[in-house]
Amino acid sequence: MSNQLFNLAMQMLPSEEFAATYKDKLAMYDNLNTPMVIAFTDKVRAFLAGLPMRMSFTVAIACFNGEIRMRCNLQDYVIGKGEFITVVPKAIVESIYLSPDCTLIMLSFSDDTFTKSLSFYNYAFAKTRLVHPVKVPFSTDITEAFKDAYKHLVGILNRYPAEVEEELVKAYVQVLFGLVSMSRKDWEQTHAKEAPASAGEKVLKQFLAHLAEDYTVYRDVAHYAERAGLSPKYFAKVIYTNSGRHPADWIQDHVILDAKTMLRSGESIQHICQVLHFGSQSHFARYFKAATGVSPMRYRNREK
């Protein structure tokens, strides 16, 4: 398999399976009327051989039946019936599983003009961009409305491929994510009386968000403790109590996962050092070997 697949671009998706596309900015796939397409799942399995890989585009998936499992930025996600998830660009995906009975709609956006102005994305893109997927439950009524709007857009794109104006496509996308936003608000109101997260859980969630933003520059626990407004010792205790792992381990895992992804994609050691802010190649090599037991070059040669 070509090394380029480890930095996954939208153009590498199985295009012959798309229900509709708009230029090189939007691609849509669904299996609403047929079982999971074998050719599509075979290509998903082929991608698995090249994981982990960094996404260069936004993916939004609505699951209507069955189950999707994925590991993204070191966290596991299960998307079941009646759930919607969005994976933002630069997220590192390590595994994907689609159950045989999985029914879904998938929208892929290579252009931010289709996402940055959406009400559902305003907070997600401003505060959690490059952090973690955004998962939302679907209500039954909104599920059907979402399917109808999606089918209308697919029909227009397939019937008038050359005539469709970008503003019309954006309007339909706005409707789709507006429905998701409505469903999210309904869910939040229904679960408003549930027990709120503990103080420790909030610190952990905040740490993981800060970590995904800062790990390429800061590898010291003190930095994240300072952002949390806590002493390093107390901060480390809170993180360990609520996750079972030390913050230094979380930091190391993020750095090493990104380094492995770049090594497998063919990036030079010098470039990796620049991206991850290591002062020298020898410093990076020592850090990598201490974490993995092998040098960066040996890891790269082993994974070819």
Side-chain angles (χ1 to χ4, degrees):
M1 180 177 292
S2 170
N3 279 337
Q4 65 179 341
L5 285 177
F6 298 126
N7 284 291
L8 184 63
M10 200 171 86
Q11 292 80 2
M12 298 174 187
L13 295 175
S15 58
E16 64 271 21
E17 305 298 341
F18 289 145
T21 60
Y22 178 73
K23 299 182 178 178
D24 60 348
K25 299 180 178 182
L26 168 67
M28 300 183 290
Y29 167 84
D30 73 82
N31 65 330
L32 298 177
N33 300 317
T34 60
M36 180 60 68
V37 179
I38 295 176
F40 184 82
T41 53
D42 283 346
K43 288 173 182 177
V44 170
R45 293 191 188 99
F47 285 144
L48 297 184
L51 295 173
M53 56 178 110
R54 185 185 290 102
M55 308 293 287
S56 65
F57 55 97
T58 300
V59 177
I61 303 174
C63 181
F64 304 108
N65 193 54
E67 185 177 83
I68 304 166
R69 301 177 202 159
M70 62 188 302
R71 185 168 176 80
C72 183
N73 290 348
L74 298 175
Q75 293 200 41
D76 294 321
Y77 296 85
V78 178
I79 305 94
K81 181 178 179 179
E83 292 186 316
F84 182 96
I85 193 166
T86 304
V87 182
V88 296
K90 295 190 179 179
I92 297 178
V93 178
E94 294 180 81
S95 62
I96 305 169
Y97 167 78
L98 305 175
S99 66
D101 59 340
C102 184
T103 303
L104 57 82
I105 286 174
M106 180 181 75
L107 301 99
S108 301
F109 304 91
S110 65
D111 191 328
D112 265 0
T113 59
F114 280 88
T115 56
K116 65 183 179 182
S117 63
L118 300 173
S119 59
F120 173 65
Y121 274 87
N122 282 345
Y123 179 80
F125 267 61
K127 301 297 183 183
T128 64
R129 188 173 177 82
L130 317 185
V131 183
H132 302 298
V134 181
K135 184 176 172 182
V136 177
F138 261 130
S139 64
T140 302
D141 291 344
I142 290 180
T143 292
E144 295 307 312
F146 185 93
K147 288 181 181 178
D148 288 343
Y150 167 82
K151 290 175 182 178
H152 286 161
L153 178 55
V154 169
I156 290 172
L157 289 174
N158 285 332
R159 187 170 182 178
Y160 308 103
E163 294 88 352
V164 176
E165 296 288 339
E166 185 167 309
E167 291 305 314
L168 177 62
V169 180
K170 286 182 180 178
Y172 267 94
V173 173
Q174 178 80 53
V175 169
L176 290 170
F177 286 96
L179 290 168
V180 174
S181 182
M182 288 169 56
S183 188
R184 183 183 192 183
K185 291 176 182 176
D186 289 345
W187 182 85
E188 288 174 345
Q189 291 174 358
T190 303
H191 293 75
K193 295 182 179 179
E194 291 187 356
S198 67
E201 290 171 337
K202 291 179 180 179
V203 171
L204 174 62
K205 183 177 181 180
Q206 184 185 57
F207 165 57
L208 295 178
H210 290 163
L211 178 58
E213 294 171 353
D214 294 354
Y215 75 89
T216 59
V217 179
Y218 298 101
R219 293 185 292 276
D220 56 301
V221 175
H223 166 78
Y224 299 97
E226 182 178 355
R227 289 201 66 175
L230 302 172
S231 70
K233 183 176 181 180
Y234 182 67
F235 174 76
K237 180 180 179 181
V238 171
I239 298 303
Y240 184 79
T241 300
N242 287 274
S243 71
R245 306 185 70 219
H246 296 288
D249 295 332
W250 280 107
I251 296 168
Q252 178 179 272
D253 283 354
H254 274 70
V255 174
I256 294 300
L257 177 60
D258 204 349
K260 285 182 176 179
T261 304
M262 286 187 279
L263 285 167
R264 295 182 70 178
S265 66
E267 300 287 357
S268 69
I269 301 295
Q270 182 179 0
H271 176 75
I272 295 172
C273 290
Q274 292 173 346
V275 171
L276 297 178
H277 287 81
F278 282 91
S280 65
Q281 294 186 32
S282 60
H283 181 197
F284 168 66
R286 289 194 300 273
Y287 185 94
F288 189 90
K289 187 171 184 178
T292 66
V294 296
S295 69
M297 291 305 298
R298 178 168 293 184
Y299 175 83
R300 169 180 281 163
N301 293 334
R302 188 180 67 186
E303 295 299 314
K304 285 183 178 179

